[in-house]
Amino acid sequence: MASPVQAMRPPPCEYACDLAYTYCLRNSPTPDQCAPEREDCYSTCPSPAAR
């Protein structure tokens, strides 16, 4: 059973996607592409049964 703090934190894969998304927004000349890229990243993450 995960502690409450761990339960609120996104899984490592999704967290990595979010970090990449934030980096993309800051550095990309085409920020419109960041959200679709994040969705693609999420789709490669193993989805927990709880979702």
PDB file of all heavy atoms in Angstrom, residues 20-46:
ATOM      1  N   ALA A  20       9.590  16.612 -19.741  1.00  0.00           N
ATOM      2  CA  ALA A  20       9.899  16.859 -21.147  1.00  0.00           C
ATOM      3  C   ALA A  20       8.958  17.909 -21.722  1.00  0.00           C
ATOM      4  O   ALA A  20       9.368  18.762 -22.509  1.00  0.00           O
ATOM      5  CB  ALA A  20       9.796  15.550 -21.943  1.00  0.00           C
ATOM      6  N   TYR A  21       7.698  17.868 -21.300  1.00  0.00           N
ATOM      7  CA  TYR A  21       6.702  18.836 -21.764  1.00  0.00           C
ATOM      8  C   TYR A  21       7.081  20.247 -21.307  1.00  0.00           C
ATOM      9  O   TYR A  21       7.059  21.194 -22.096  1.00  0.00           O
ATOM     10  CB  TYR A  21       5.343  18.436 -21.206  1.00  0.00           C
ATOM     11  CG  TYR A  21       4.232  19.429 -21.491  1.00  0.00           C
ATOM     12  CD1 TYR A  21       3.756  19.606 -22.789  1.00  0.00           C
ATOM     13  CD2 TYR A  21       3.649  20.163 -20.475  1.00  0.00           C
ATOM     14  CE1 TYR A  21       2.724  20.501 -23.053  1.00  0.00           C
ATOM     15  CE2 TYR A  21       2.619  21.051 -20.723  1.00  0.00           C
ATOM     16  CZ  TYR A  21       2.164  21.217 -22.022  1.00  0.00           C
ATOM     17  OH  TYR A  21       1.153  22.103 -22.278  1.00  0.00           O
ATOM     18  N   THR A  22       7.447  20.376 -20.039  1.00  0.00           N
ATOM     19  CA  THR A  22       7.852  21.676 -19.505  1.00  0.00           C
ATOM     20  C   THR A  22       9.073  22.201 -20.252  1.00  0.00           C
ATOM     21  O   THR A  22       9.136  23.373 -20.621  1.00  0.00           O
ATOM     22  CB  THR A  22       8.162  21.553 -17.997  1.00  0.00           C
ATOM     23  OG1 THR A  22       7.008  21.069 -17.336  1.00  0.00           O
ATOM     24  CG2 THR A  22       8.544  22.897 -17.412  1.00  0.00           C
ATOM     25  N   TYR A  23      10.043  21.320 -20.471  1.00  0.00           N
ATOM     26  CA  TYR A  23      11.241  21.704 -21.216  1.00  0.00           C
ATOM     27  C   TYR A  23      10.873  22.136 -22.625  1.00  0.00           C
ATOM     28  O   TYR A  23      11.389  23.121 -23.148  1.00  0.00           O
ATOM     29  CB  TYR A  23      12.209  20.519 -21.242  1.00  0.00           C
ATOM     30  CG  TYR A  23      13.504  20.827 -21.967  1.00  0.00           C
ATOM     31  CD1 TYR A  23      14.546  21.461 -21.285  1.00  0.00           C
ATOM     32  CD2 TYR A  23      13.681  20.495 -23.299  1.00  0.00           C
ATOM     33  CE1 TYR A  23      15.737  21.753 -21.944  1.00  0.00           C
ATOM     34  CE2 TYR A  23      14.853  20.793 -23.959  1.00  0.00           C
ATOM     35  CZ  TYR A  23      15.885  21.421 -23.275  1.00  0.00           C
ATOM     36  OH  TYR A  23      17.052  21.710 -23.937  1.00  0.00           O
ATOM     37  N   CYS A  24       9.978  21.399 -23.240  1.00  0.00           N
ATOM     38  CA  CYS A  24       9.522  21.713 -24.603  1.00  0.00           C
ATOM     39  C   CYS A  24       8.904  23.108 -24.644  1.00  0.00           C
ATOM     40  O   CYS A  24       9.225  23.913 -25.515  1.00  0.00           O
ATOM     41  CB  CYS A  24       8.521  20.656 -25.060  1.00  0.00           C
ATOM     42  SG  CYS A  24       7.839  20.924 -26.708  1.00  0.00           S
ATOM     43  N   LEU A  25       8.013  23.396 -23.689  1.00  0.00           N
ATOM     44  CA  LEU A  25       7.351  24.702 -23.671  1.00  0.00           C
ATOM     45  C   LEU A  25       8.365  25.845 -23.561  1.00  0.00           C
ATOM     46  O   LEU A  25       8.207  26.890 -24.183  1.00  0.00           O
ATOM     47  CB  LEU A  25       6.367  24.785 -22.499  1.00  0.00           C
ATOM     48  CG  LEU A  25       5.089  23.974 -22.643  1.00  0.00           C
ATOM     49  CD1 LEU A  25       4.223  24.147 -21.401  1.00  0.00           C
ATOM     50  CD2 LEU A  25       4.309  24.375 -23.887  1.00  0.00           C
ATOM     51  N   ARG A  26       9.407  25.619 -22.775  1.00  0.00           N
ATOM     52  CA  ARG A  26      10.397  26.673 -22.563  1.00  0.00           C
ATOM     53  C   ARG A  26      11.319  26.854 -23.758  1.00  0.00           C
ATOM     54  O   ARG A  26      11.812  27.957 -23.998  1.00  0.00           O
ATOM     55  CB  ARG A  26      11.271  26.326 -21.347  1.00  0.00           C
ATOM     56  CG  ARG A  26      10.549  26.521 -20.041  1.00  0.00           C
ATOM     57  CD  ARG A  26      11.529  26.418 -18.874  1.00  0.00           C
ATOM     58  NE  ARG A  26      10.810  26.320 -17.613  1.00  0.00           N
ATOM     59  CZ  ARG A  26      11.158  25.486 -16.640  1.00  0.00           C
ATOM     60  NH1 ARG A  26      12.179  24.691 -16.784  1.00  0.00           N
ATOM     61  NH2 ARG A  26      10.461  25.460 -15.538  1.00  0.00           N
ATOM     62  N   ASN A  27      11.599  25.774 -24.476  1.00  0.00           N
ATOM     63  CA  ASN A  27      12.672  25.817 -25.465  1.00  0.00           C
ATOM     64  C   ASN A  27      12.252  25.609 -26.916  1.00  0.00           C
ATOM     65  O   ASN A  27      13.036  25.867 -27.816  1.00  0.00           O
ATOM     66  CB  ASN A  27      13.725  24.755 -25.113  1.00  0.00           C
ATOM     67  CG  ASN A  27      14.339  25.026 -23.750  1.00  0.00           C
ATOM     68  OD1 ASN A  27      15.118  25.947 -23.589  1.00  0.00           O
ATOM     69  ND2 ASN A  27      13.953  24.237 -22.767  1.00  0.00           N
ATOM     70  N   SER A  28      11.035  25.127 -27.120  1.00  0.00           N
ATOM     71  CA  SER A  28      10.626  24.805 -28.483  1.00  0.00           C
ATOM     72  C   SER A  28      10.194  26.047 -29.252  1.00  0.00           C
ATOM     73  O   SER A  28       9.487  26.901 -28.726  1.00  0.00           O
ATOM     74  CB  SER A  28       9.470  23.807 -28.457  1.00  0.00           C
ATOM     75  OG  SER A  28       9.026  23.566 -29.778  1.00  0.00           O
ATOM     76  N   PRO A  29      10.614  26.155 -30.524  1.00  0.00           N
ATOM     77  CA  PRO A  29      10.100  27.231 -31.371  1.00  0.00           C
ATOM     78  C   PRO A  29       8.633  26.986 -31.753  1.00  0.00           C
ATOM     79  O   PRO A  29       7.953  27.902 -32.221  1.00  0.00           O
ATOM     80  CB  PRO A  29      11.007  27.189 -32.604  1.00  0.00           C
ATOM     81  CG  PRO A  29      11.525  25.785 -32.654  1.00  0.00           C
ATOM     82  CD  PRO A  29      11.600  25.323 -31.211  1.00  0.00           C
ATOM     83  N   THR A  30       8.169  25.757 -31.570  1.00  0.00           N
ATOM     84  CA  THR A  30       6.781  25.413 -31.894  1.00  0.00           C
ATOM     85  C   THR A  30       6.113  24.769 -30.678  1.00  0.00           C
ATOM     86  O   THR A  30       5.930  23.551 -30.634  1.00  0.00           O
ATOM     87  CB  THR A  30       6.720  24.445 -33.092  1.00  0.00           C
ATOM     88  OG1 THR A  30       7.562  23.313 -32.794  1.00  0.00           O
ATOM     89  CG2 THR A  30       7.189  25.108 -34.367  1.00  0.00           C
ATOM     90  N   PRO A  31       5.741  25.579 -29.671  1.00  0.00           N
ATOM     91  CA  PRO A  31       5.166  25.017 -28.448  1.00  0.00           C
ATOM     92  C   PRO A  31       3.856  24.266 -28.677  1.00  0.00           C
ATOM     93  O   PRO A  31       3.456  23.451 -27.843  1.00  0.00           O
ATOM     94  CB  PRO A  31       4.952  26.242 -27.547  1.00  0.00           C
ATOM     95  CG  PRO A  31       5.138  27.431 -28.412  1.00  0.00           C
ATOM     96  CD  PRO A  31       5.928  27.019 -29.606  1.00  0.00           C
ATOM     97  N   ASP A  32       3.188  24.525 -29.807  1.00  0.00           N
ATOM     98  CA  ASP A  32       1.946  23.795 -30.105  1.00  0.00           C
ATOM     99  C   ASP A  32       2.178  22.290 -30.190  1.00  0.00           C
ATOM    100  O   ASP A  32       1.246  21.508 -30.000  1.00  0.00           O
ATOM    101  CB  ASP A  32       1.354  24.266 -31.442  1.00  0.00           C
ATOM    102  CG  ASP A  32       0.846  25.696 -31.362  1.00  0.00           C
ATOM    103  OD1 ASP A  32       0.781  26.246 -30.239  1.00  0.00           O
ATOM    104  OD2 ASP A  32       0.516  26.261 -32.415  1.00  0.00           O
ATOM    105  N   GLN A  33       3.403  21.893 -30.506  1.00  0.00           N
ATOM    106  CA  GLN A  33       3.694  20.467 -30.657  1.00  0.00           C
ATOM    107  C   GLN A  33       3.931  19.779 -29.320  1.00  0.00           C
ATOM    108  O   GLN A  33       3.942  18.559 -29.246  1.00  0.00           O
ATOM    109  CB  GLN A  33       4.944  20.279 -31.528  1.00  0.00           C
ATOM    110  CG  GLN A  33       4.712  20.671 -32.983  1.00  0.00           C
ATOM    111  CD  GLN A  33       5.961  20.462 -33.831  1.00  0.00           C
ATOM    112  OE1 GLN A  33       7.075  20.454 -33.310  1.00  0.00           O
ATOM    113  NE2 GLN A  33       5.771  20.296 -35.117  1.00  0.00           N
ATOM    114  N   CYS A  34       4.129  20.564 -28.255  1.00  0.00           N
ATOM    115  CA  CYS A  34       4.495  19.974 -26.968  1.00  0.00           C
ATOM    116  C   CYS A  34       3.393  19.079 -26.400  1.00  0.00           C
ATOM    117  O   CYS A  34       3.668  17.982 -25.930  1.00  0.00           O
ATOM    118  CB  CYS A  34       4.829  21.075 -25.975  1.00  0.00           C
ATOM    119  SG  CYS A  34       6.263  22.066 -26.475  1.00  0.00           S
ATOM    120  N   ALA A  35       2.143  19.556 -26.435  1.00  0.00           N
ATOM    121  CA  ALA A  35       1.053  18.771 -25.847  1.00  0.00           C
ATOM    122  C   ALA A  35       0.867  17.427 -26.559  1.00  0.00           C
ATOM    123  O   ALA A  35       0.773  16.391 -25.898  1.00  0.00           O
ATOM    124  CB  ALA A  35      -0.242  19.571 -25.833  1.00  0.00           C
ATOM    125  N   PRO A  36       0.813  17.413 -27.916  1.00  0.00           N
ATOM    126  CA  PRO A  36       0.704  16.109 -28.594  1.00  0.00           C
ATOM    127  C   PRO A  36       1.880  15.189 -28.279  1.00  0.00           C
ATOM    128  O   PRO A  36       1.691  13.976 -28.119  1.00  0.00           O
ATOM    129  CB  PRO A  36       0.695  16.479 -30.083  1.00  0.00           C
ATOM    130  CG  PRO A  36       0.225  17.895 -30.126  1.00  0.00           C
ATOM    131  CD  PRO A  36       0.697  18.527 -28.845  1.00  0.00           C
ATOM    132  N   GLU A  37       3.072  15.758 -28.159  1.00  0.00           N
ATOM    133  CA  GLU A  37       4.235  14.934 -27.817  1.00  0.00           C
ATOM    134  C   GLU A  37       4.082  14.344 -26.428  1.00  0.00           C
ATOM    135  O   GLU A  37       4.435  13.192 -26.188  1.00  0.00           O
ATOM    136  CB  GLU A  37       5.519  15.761 -27.897  1.00  0.00           C
ATOM    137  CG  GLU A  37       5.955  16.030 -29.326  1.00  0.00           C
ATOM    138  CD  GLU A  37       7.182  16.921 -29.399  1.00  0.00           C
ATOM    139  OE1 GLU A  37       7.825  17.168 -28.363  1.00  0.00           O
ATOM    140  OE2 GLU A  37       7.498  17.373 -30.521  1.00  0.00           O
ATOM    141  N   ARG A  38       3.525  15.128 -25.498  1.00  0.00           N
ATOM    142  CA  ARG A  38       3.311  14.614 -24.147  1.00  0.00           C
ATOM    143  C   ARG A  38       2.284  13.495 -24.177  1.00  0.00           C
ATOM    144  O   ARG A  38       2.442  12.477 -23.497  1.00  0.00           O
ATOM    145  CB  ARG A  38       2.867  15.731 -23.206  1.00  0.00           C
ATOM    146  CG  ARG A  38       2.688  15.236 -21.784  1.00  0.00           C
ATOM    147  CD  ARG A  38       2.465  16.330 -20.782  1.00  0.00           C
ATOM    148  NE  ARG A  38       1.233  17.054 -21.065  1.00  0.00           N
ATOM    149  CZ  ARG A  38       0.674  17.916 -20.234  1.00  0.00           C
ATOM    150  NH1 ARG A  38       1.245  18.189 -19.080  1.00  0.00           N
ATOM    151  NH2 ARG A  38      -0.441  18.525 -20.563  1.00  0.00           N
ATOM    152  N   GLU A  39       1.230  13.652 -24.968  1.00  0.00           N
ATOM    153  CA  GLU A  39       0.229  12.587 -25.086  1.00  0.00           C
ATOM    154  C   GLU A  39       0.859  11.306 -25.637  1.00  0.00           C
ATOM    155  O   GLU A  39       0.582  10.212 -25.158  1.00  0.00           O
ATOM    156  CB  GLU A  39      -0.925  13.033 -25.986  1.00  0.00           C
ATOM    157  CG  GLU A  39      -1.776  14.132 -25.377  1.00  0.00           C
ATOM    158  CD  GLU A  39      -2.356  13.754 -24.029  1.00  0.00           C
ATOM    159  OE1 GLU A  39      -2.924  12.656 -23.906  1.00  0.00           O
ATOM    160  OE2 GLU A  39      -2.242  14.557 -23.088  1.00  0.00           O
ATOM    161  N   ASP A  40       1.709  11.476 -26.648  1.00  0.00           N
ATOM    162  CA  ASP A  40       2.411  10.310 -27.208  1.00  0.00           C
ATOM    163  C   ASP A  40       3.271   9.650 -26.140  1.00  0.00           C
ATOM    164  O   ASP A  40       3.325   8.427 -26.037  1.00  0.00           O
ATOM    165  CB  ASP A  40       3.291  10.726 -28.389  1.00  0.00           C
ATOM    166  CG  ASP A  40       2.470  11.067 -29.623  1.00  0.00           C
ATOM    167  OD1 ASP A  40       1.266  10.742 -29.643  1.00  0.00           O
ATOM    168  OD2 ASP A  40       3.035  11.662 -30.559  1.00  0.00           O
ATOM    169  N   CYS A  41       3.951  10.485 -25.356  1.00  0.00           N
ATOM    170  CA  CYS A  41       4.801   9.964 -24.283  1.00  0.00           C
ATOM    171  C   CYS A  41       3.969   9.182 -23.284  1.00  0.00           C
ATOM    172  O   CYS A  41       4.316   8.067 -22.902  1.00  0.00           O
ATOM    173  CB  CYS A  41       5.528  11.128 -23.619  1.00  0.00           C
ATOM    174  SG  CYS A  41       6.683  10.648 -22.315  1.00  0.00           S
ATOM    175  N   TYR A  42       2.830   9.756 -22.871  1.00  0.00           N
ATOM    176  CA  TYR A  42       1.952   9.065 -21.933  1.00  0.00           C
ATOM    177  C   TYR A  42       1.509   7.711 -22.481  1.00  0.00           C
ATOM    178  O   TYR A  42       1.394   6.744 -21.743  1.00  0.00           O
ATOM    179  CB  TYR A  42       0.700   9.899 -21.657  1.00  0.00           C
ATOM    180  CG  TYR A  42       0.875  11.000 -20.644  1.00  0.00           C
ATOM    181  CD1 TYR A  42      -0.135  11.935 -20.449  1.00  0.00           C
ATOM    182  CD2 TYR A  42       2.032  11.104 -19.859  1.00  0.00           C
ATOM    183  CE1 TYR A  42       0.004  12.962 -19.509  1.00  0.00           C
ATOM    184  CE2 TYR A  42       2.164  12.119 -18.936  1.00  0.00           C
ATOM    185  CZ  TYR A  42       1.154  13.045 -18.753  1.00  0.00           C
ATOM    186  OH  TYR A  42       1.279  14.047 -17.841  1.00  0.00           O
ATOM    187  N   SER A  43       1.248   7.663 -23.780  1.00  0.00           N
ATOM    188  CA  SER A  43       0.732   6.421 -24.365  1.00  0.00           C
ATOM    189  C   SER A  43       1.777   5.309 -24.335  1.00  0.00           C
ATOM    190  O   SER A  43       1.432   4.141 -24.461  1.00  0.00           O
ATOM    191  CB  SER A  43       0.243   6.670 -25.787  1.00  0.00           C
ATOM    192  OG  SER A  43       1.333   6.873 -26.673  1.00  0.00           O
ATOM    193  N   THR A  44       3.044   5.674 -24.176  1.00  0.00           N
ATOM    194  CA  THR A  44       4.088   4.647 -24.089  1.00  0.00           C
ATOM    195  C   THR A  44       4.292   4.182 -22.650  1.00  0.00           C
ATOM    196  O   THR A  44       4.972   3.199 -22.412  1.00  0.00           O
ATOM    197  CB  THR A  44       5.439   5.164 -24.621  1.00  0.00           C
ATOM    198  OG1 THR A  44       5.911   6.207 -23.755  1.00  0.00           O
ATOM    199  CG2 THR A  44       5.308   5.697 -26.036  1.00  0.00           C
ATOM    200  N   CYS A  45       3.695   4.896 -21.695  1.00  0.00           N
ATOM    201  CA  CYS A  45       3.837   4.515 -20.287  1.00  0.00           C
ATOM    202  C   CYS A  45       2.975   3.301 -19.987  1.00  0.00           C
ATOM    203  O   CYS A  45       1.871   3.187 -20.511  1.00  0.00           O
ATOM    204  CB  CYS A  45       3.388   5.680 -19.387  1.00  0.00           C
ATOM    205  SG  CYS A  45       4.407   7.145 -19.518  1.00  0.00           S
ATOM    206  N   PRO A  46       3.484   2.414 -19.125  1.00  0.00           N
ATOM    207  CA  PRO A  46       2.616   1.316 -18.681  1.00  0.00           C
ATOM    208  C   PRO A  46       1.488   1.898 -17.856  1.00  0.00           C
ATOM    209  O   PRO A  46       1.744   2.633 -16.903  1.00  0.00           O
ATOM    210  CB  PRO A  46       3.540   0.450 -17.842  1.00  0.00           C
ATOM    211  CG  PRO A  46       4.651   1.354 -17.415  1.00  0.00           C
ATOM    212  CD  PRO A  46       4.797   2.407 -18.488  1.00  0.00           C
TER     213      PRO A  46
END
